[in-house]
């Protein structure tokens, strides 16, 4: 058994960390305060090759595997400390570009993948609805066939990058009677299509540098050539696969920020003195540092295991669920420890760790809540 | 256009450097070795020549077998091929000895331009680029903060205390760059993966026709007699502001005295 990364993966992780420290971290505090998306930072990320990382090389990407894509997320979060950027990049890659790479026909791939890989547009995926989150099969958006055109009606919400994307993969019910596995279809809906609009910008607790919106579809006409994959099979073939990407790759962002917060906390514990000695000499602080390290190590092992299994084609739904369930909670715990350890400075934004807490909370909600992950884990045991 | 970028493997700048008491040379086993940070600038300039003129860039390193990761690292920025000169007899070479090896390697290679870093982070002599140019009888363009190639001509901005001079030379030529010349990029995943399969040639002194007597510690024209650890940092000058404005004048005097202004 070998837990080591390859030399190339190590080199890449180092490179991403250094890149992010230089090009992403500066200004992150101000961007979070303003809650703004920054195209300049995105262009830097694109120029560095991250926006096409797992996209096949023939479509302008780098053809990286799942584990390496996770490493990029980890390194970017570690060096950049901009969880919103990580969220947008993660969504762009895993639920924006990859569904097209994996399920698109040649024409769709030629049309969208080079643009997405180059970061000229940002990818987005719309499945969640105001009344259908983790229970995706209850979604109400309808697509009715009229000749060679589908007419879509409904509302999608919590759509990461929804206001940036030139094309959004929208999941809609095409068969009102069929069971979930045969009822939903994915459509590549282009920005500017009449009736397809951003109906609301959502203000979030954290990840504020990433835009999250509600999208409304009001008699949106979509040609059958814009169907992604097969009619009826979108939920299981594309939707669940997207959740899998989120559980194996996007959670690596949390691992990166847990490591950075740990390192900053260790530094602070060594420098900050109380009662004549560094606070790191106190048992209460050591306990926090040790727990943060422990959580980081477990989080990283779970994430990399799930990513590795996905690369190897090994069934990993339980492992991915465990990784997500654990990281969703551990990230919050460690951010709370980092804040407590920093005392008053931890509670104000300039020491960055209060942002970590706000950012970390998302991992237990988006892409399937912790409770859903626990349900998946328990089902494998209880049937 | 063919460009050669000589790079150096140096002790990690972030780590503590250790001098071996017997050989009086840097103990390269004591800490991690890295691609010398100044080479990031010379490599970046070469990559830009590649992008602009389609230059073919070879990275050249003089060093033991363990220096191979340095070549791969350099290649990961997008360079085309690697050439490593390895020979036990090279160990302990001073700047001139190193320059002899590099010059001999260049003589056996087709090139139009050699792009050096300005000053390695370990020895800090800045001598090698000019020595190589002298040995090859080529124009030497040091302290380059801007360069442009047009056909057979190279024009550089050569930095000095009061600004820069515009210097023109014909190719082939040898330049060394300062850090102001560009903002280096980081190796991308594509670059790192491609570096694995780039050609890497290894040559010995015999391959280059260099006698072992001309290089190494024995041939060094500089001799190290002793060394001492850097003295601990002294406490700085503290100027306190009593509200009268005197502190500002004191600060200005201090800046003038230290020639900062």
């Amino acid at each position: 058994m070998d837990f080591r990364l390859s030399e190339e993966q190590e080199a890449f992780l180092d490179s991403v960390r250094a890149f992010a420290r230089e090009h992403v971290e500066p200004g992150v505090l101000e961007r979070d305060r303003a809650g703004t998306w920054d195209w300049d930072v995105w262009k830097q990320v694109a120029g560095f090759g991250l926006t096409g990382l797992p996209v096949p090389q023939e479509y302008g990407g780098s053809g990286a595997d799942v584990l390496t894509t996770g490493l990029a997320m980890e390194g970017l979060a570690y060096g950049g400390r901009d969880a919103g950027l990580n969220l947008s990049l993660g969504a762009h890659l895993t639920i924006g570009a990859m569904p097209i790479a994996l399920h698109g026909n040649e024409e769709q791939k030629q049309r969208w993948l080079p643009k997405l890989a180059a970061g000229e547009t940002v990818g987005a995926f719309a499945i969640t609805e105001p009344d259908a989150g983790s229970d995706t099969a209850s979604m109400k958006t309808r697509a009715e066939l009229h000749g060679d055109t589908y007419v879509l009606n409904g509302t999608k919400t919590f759509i990461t990058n929804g206001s940036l994307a030139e094309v959004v993969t929208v999941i809609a019910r095409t068969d009102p009677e069929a069971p979930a596995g045969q009822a939903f279809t994915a459509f590549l809906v282009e920005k500017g299509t009449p009736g397809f609009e951003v109906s609301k910008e959502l203000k979030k607790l954290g990840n504020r540098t990433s835009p999250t919106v509600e999208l409304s579809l009001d008699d949106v006409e979509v040609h059958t050539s814009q169907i992604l994959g097969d009619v009826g099979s979108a939920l299981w073939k594309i939707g669940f696969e997207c959740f899998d990407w989120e559980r194996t790759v996007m959670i690596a962002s949390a691992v990166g920020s847990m490591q950075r917060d740990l390192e900053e906390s260790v530094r602070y514990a060594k420098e900050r003195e109380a009662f004549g000695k560094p606070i790191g000499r106190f048992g209460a602080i050591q306990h926090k540092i040790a727990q943060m390290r422990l959580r980081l190590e477990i989080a990283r092992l779970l994430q990399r295991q799930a990513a590795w299994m996905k690369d190897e084609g090994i069934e990993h739904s339980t492992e991915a669920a465990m990784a997500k369930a654990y990281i969703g909670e551990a990230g919050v715990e460690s951010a709370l420890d980092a804040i407590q350890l920093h005392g008053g400075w931890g509670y104000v934004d300039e020491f960055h760790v209060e942002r970590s807490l706000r950012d970390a909370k998302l991992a237990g909600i988006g892409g399937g809540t912790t409770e859903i992950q626990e349900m998946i884990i328990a089902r494998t045991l209880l049937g | 256009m063919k460009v050669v970028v000589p790079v150096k493997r140096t002790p990690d700048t972030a780590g503590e450097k250790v001098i071996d008491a017997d050989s009086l040379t840097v103990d390269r086993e004591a800490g991690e070795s890295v691609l010398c940070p100044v080479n990031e600038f010379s490599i970046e300039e070469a990559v830009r020549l590649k992008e602009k003129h389609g230059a073919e860039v070879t990275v050249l390193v003089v060093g033991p077998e363990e220096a191979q990761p340095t070549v791969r690292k350099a290649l990961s920025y997008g360079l085309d091929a690697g050439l490593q000169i390895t020979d036990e007899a090279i160990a302990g070479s001073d700047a001139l000895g190193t320059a002899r090896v590099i010059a001999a390697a260049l003589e056996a290679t087709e090139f139009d331009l050699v792009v050096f870093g300005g000053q390695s982070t370990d020895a800090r002599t800045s001598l090698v680029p000019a020595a190589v140019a002298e040995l090859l009888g080529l124009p030497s363009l040091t302290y380059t903060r801007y360069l442009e190639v047009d056909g057979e001509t190279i024009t550089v901005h050569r930095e000095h205390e009061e600004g820069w001079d515009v210097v023109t030379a014909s190719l082939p030529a040898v330049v060394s760059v300062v850090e102001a010349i560009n903002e280096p990029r980081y190796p991308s995943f594509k670059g790192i993966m491609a570096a694995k399969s780039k050609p890497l040639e290894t040559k010995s002194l015999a391959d280059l026709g260099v006698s072992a007597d001309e290089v190494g510690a024995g041939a060094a024209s500089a001799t190290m007699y002793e060394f001492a650890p850097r003295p601990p940092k002294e406490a700085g000058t503290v100027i306190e502001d009593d509200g009268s404005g005197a502190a500002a004048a004191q600060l200005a005097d201090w800046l003038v005295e230290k020639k900062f202004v």
Side-chain angles (χ1 to χ4, degrees):
Chain A
M1 187 165 208
D2 191 343
F3 285 93
R4 285 170 301 188
L5 298 172
S6 71
E7 272 177 37
E8 290 74 26
Q9 286 168 330
E10 287 282 6
F12 180 53
L13 182 56
D14 283 349
S15 195
V16 177
R17 284 175 177 161
F19 161 83
R21 271 188 192 262
E22 184 174 341
H23 295 292
V24 178
E25 190 175 13
V28 63
L29 192 58
E30 291 72 24
R31 296 198 298 274
D32 177 69
R33 282 175 182 165
T36 48
W37 165 256
D38 192 320
W39 277 111
D40 288 338
V41 175
W42 178 257
K43 281 175 192 159
Q44 296 269 10
V45 170
F48 181 51
L50 295 186
T51 50
L53 196 59
V55 173
Q57 293 198 15
E58 58 265 40
Y59 300 104
S62 302
D65 60 16
V66 178
L67 183 60
T68 307
T69 307
L71 293 176
M73 301 307 293
E74 182 186 326
L76 188 69
Y78 172 87
R81 307 186 93 178
D82 184 344
L85 176 74
N86 265 70
L87 173 63
S88 276
L89 178 67
H92 163 84
L93 294 177
T94 65
I95 60 178
M98 288 318 286
I100 299 175
L102 294 168
H103 302 283
N105 58 37
E106 196 50 39
E107 196 188 329
Q108 290 166 339
K109 288 197 255 191
Q110 292 285 358
R111 172 141 192 228
W112 294 112
L113 290 179
K115 276 186 115 172
L116 287 162
E120 287 165 22
T121 184
V122 188
F125 184 82
I127 187 164
T128 303
E129 298 182 358
D131 297 316
S134 293
D135 177 17
T136 43
S138 68
M139 66 186 128
K140 294 187 177 66
T141 297
R142 284 293 320 273
E144 283 176 20
L145 186 61
H146 298 274
D148 57 3
T149 302
Y150 276 93
V151 178
L152 274 63
N153 278 288
T155 304
K156 295 289 178 183
T157 197
F158 305 137
I159 310 307
T160 302
N161 303 337
S163 53
L164 308 170
E166 270 182 50
V167 63
V168 181
T169 302
V170 177
I171 309 290
R173 186 179 267 276
T174 38
D175 187 334
E177 312 297 333
Q182 296 151 33
F184 297 96
T185 302
F187 298 91
L188 294 171
V189 184
E190 291 178 39
K191 189 178 194 170
T193 307
F196 183 49
E197 278 171 9
V198 173
S199 39
K200 198 196 275 181
E201 300 251 3
L202 299 160
K203 296 290 174 198
K204 305 188 293 297
L205 176 68
N207 293 270
R208 289 181 175 171
T209 58
S210 169
T212 306
V213 301
E214 180 182 279
L215 296 171
S216 67
L217 298 115
D218 186 12
D219 286 336
V220 176
E221 294 186 10
V222 179
H223 192 262
T224 48
S225 64
Q226 288 167 262
I227 289 172
L228 182 66
D230 303 321
V231 174
S233 66
L235 186 60
W236 286 3
K237 279 205 178 152
I238 301 176
F240 289 179
E241 190 179 77
C242 284
F243 294 140
D244 185 53
W245 274 101
E246 288 185 304
R247 288 163 202 172
T248 52
V249 168
M250 284 183 70
I251 51 163
S253 301
V255 176
S257 49
M258 283 167 80
Q259 178 170 352
R260 184 63 184 273
D261 283 353
L262 172 60
E263 288 179 16
E264 299 294 338
S265 296
V266 167
R267 197 216 316 233
Y268 187 80
K270 283 180 172 173
E271 285 174 2
R272 172 79 184 195
E273 293 196 356
F275 307 105
K277 56 183 178 181
I279 60 168
R281 297 282 178 85
F282 294 101
I285 298 298
Q286 290 170 0
H287 173 74
K288 286 187 187 10
I289 294 286
Q291 286 298 320
M292 288 171 79
R293 175 73 205 272
L294 198 49
R295 286 186 212 109
L296 167 65
E297 220 56 41
I298 298 169
R300 179 176 280 145
L301 286 169
L302 283 170
Q303 185 272 323
R304 289 189 184 172
Q305 172 184 246
W308 173 81
M309 290 175 86
K310 187 171 168 67
D311 275 326
E312 295 291 314
I314 302 169
E315 175 13 67
H316 59 279
S317 50
T318 311
E319 285 76 9
M322 288 196 290
K324 182 146 190 316
Y326 182 75
I327 291 173
E329 304 306 304
V332 171
E333 286 298 314
S334 283
L336 280 168
D337 277 346
I339 291 173
Q340 189 66 24
L341 186 147
H342 279 78
W345 293 114
Y347 196 67
V348 295
D349 67 359
E350 58 198 85
F351 271 64
H352 300 273
V353 288
E354 66 82 36
R355 187 172 75 249
S356 293
L357 176 63
R358 293 188 283 108
D359 293 338
K361 189 65 197 121
L362 181 64
I365 300 171
T369 58
T370 301
E371 290 75 9
I372 289 290
Q373 310 311 319
E374 289 171 345
M375 201 189 286
I376 295 167
I377 299 163
R379 265 184 197 162
T380 60
L381 299 169
L382 300 169
Chain B
M1 182 167 52
K2 290 190 189 311
V3 176
V4 177
V5 183
V7 302
K8 192 172 185 185
R9 174 174 171 258
T10 56
D12 189 352
T13 24
E16 192 67 30
K17 291 178 193 71
V18 179
I19 309 268
D20 179 63
D22 294 327
S23 68
L24 295 177
T25 56
V26 176
D27 183 356
R28 292 178 193 278
E29 307 307 315
E32 213 161 305
S33 289
V34 297
L35 172 69
C36 182
V38 302
N39 288 131
E40 288 172 16
F41 300 89
S42 52
I43 289 169
E44 174 66 30
E45 209 52 30
V47 173
R48 290 180 188 197
L49 287 168
K50 191 175 159 63
E51 287 168 348
K52 199 170 171 191
H53 300 288
E56 219 176 282
V57 187
T58 300
V59 56
L60 168 66
V61 72
V62 177
E65 214 166 286
E66 300 84 69
Q68 210 189 87
T70 304
V71 185
R72 291 281 174 220
K73 172 82 192 277
L75 289 170
S76 73
Y77 288 89
L79 310 188
D80 301 298
L83 173 58
Q84 184 171 357
I85 313 300
T86 299
D87 203 304
E88 279 180 17
I90 298 171
S93 292
D94 62 356
L96 193 54
T98 307
R100 282 193 190 108
V101 177
I102 294 174
L106 288 167
E107 269 180 330
T109 311
E110 218 181 300
F111 68 92
D112 301 290
L113 186 64
V114 182
V115 186
F116 276 96
Q119 186 188 65
S120 65
T121 54
D122 54 354
R124 294 195 178 276
T125 68
S126 304
L127 295 174
V128 173
V132 167
E134 181 64 23
L135 288 168
L136 295 173
L138 295 177
S140 166
L141 307 156
T142 51
Y143 299 105
T144 297
R145 54 170 290 148
Y146 169 82
L147 74 80
E148 200 181 303
V149 175
D150 185 10
E152 294 298 302
T153 307
I154 179 168
T155 303
V156 310
H157 292 181
R158 185 174 191 277
E159 191 174 70
H160 50 74
E161 276 182 6
E162 283 146 23
W164 66 78
D165 297 327
V166 179
V167 182
T168 302
S170 60
L171 296 178
V174 176
V175 305
S176 67
V177 303
V178 296
E179 295 184 7
I181 194 165
N182 57 43
E183 195 184 316
R185 70 195 73 186
Y186 291 92
S188 68
F189 179 67
K190 261 186 190 170
I192 290 167
M193 294 312 283
K196 274 169 72 174
S197 50
K198 296 279 170 70
L200 172 58
E201 197 183 349
T202 306
K203 286 185 179 176
S204 66
L205 287 180
D207 294 333
L208 299 177
V210 176
S211 156
D213 303 339
E214 296 174 61
V215 299
S221 45
T223 310
M224 170 101 128
Y225 290 103
E226 58 179 343
F227 71 95
R230 192 192 345 217
K233 219 174 168 183
E234 287 174 25
T237 310
V238 178
I239 299 172
E240 283 197 31
D241 181 16
D242 59 7
S244 70
Q250 264 178 285
L251 181 60
D253 289 344
W254 184 84
L255 289 170
V256 170
E257 184 198 318
K258 296 287 176 193
K259 296 196 168 128
F260 284 122
V261 291

